[in-house]
Amino acid sequence: MNKGLDKAFKQILSVLITVPVTVRYKRKCRSVQALVDLGATTTILSPKLCEELGLALHVSGFGQQAGGAGLILSLTDACTVTAKAGPAMTREFASVDLPMLSHLPGTEVILGIDYLTSASAMIDVAKRVVRFRRQKA
């Protein structure tokens, strides 16, 4: 990617809401910034992140997602996503191979309504802050 586009992507991401998350699969673990997307019904992991963790993917369709066309992929095994100060969610997440998103830094994980609802997330859009309910010990 050229430097001009990289700078433009960083400017776009600077106004989006992101939270630190950890993704675990078997003995592998990766910490990344996750994009909070209130328009996404499900949490999505990037194909690149799945490959790094050793998660197998299979094509489940082709469609329009996030303003672009691409492959819709499904994970063949469950992994765990945990937001900092949030609960863990273990399941077979979705993945989308979109050329437009694959070049954006910080889009390895997109937290959708499924995770945000289960975590009782409170989002302050003006301050770009996400707070999760306290977990009972």
Side-chain angles (χ1 to χ4, degrees), residues 22 38 41-43 48 54 60 62 66 93 109-110 119-120 127 135:
T22 302
L38 299 176
T41 55
T42 61
T43 295
K48 180 180 175 184
S60 56
F62 181 83
F93 292 96
V109 177
I110 298 174
S120 295
K127 294 180 182 177
Q135 297 299 301

Side-chain angles (χ1 to χ4, degrees), residues 57-63 71-75 94-95:
L57 297 169
H58 70 274
V59 176
S60 56
F62 181 83
L71 293 176
I72 299 170
L73 309 167
S74 297
L75 278 64
S95 183

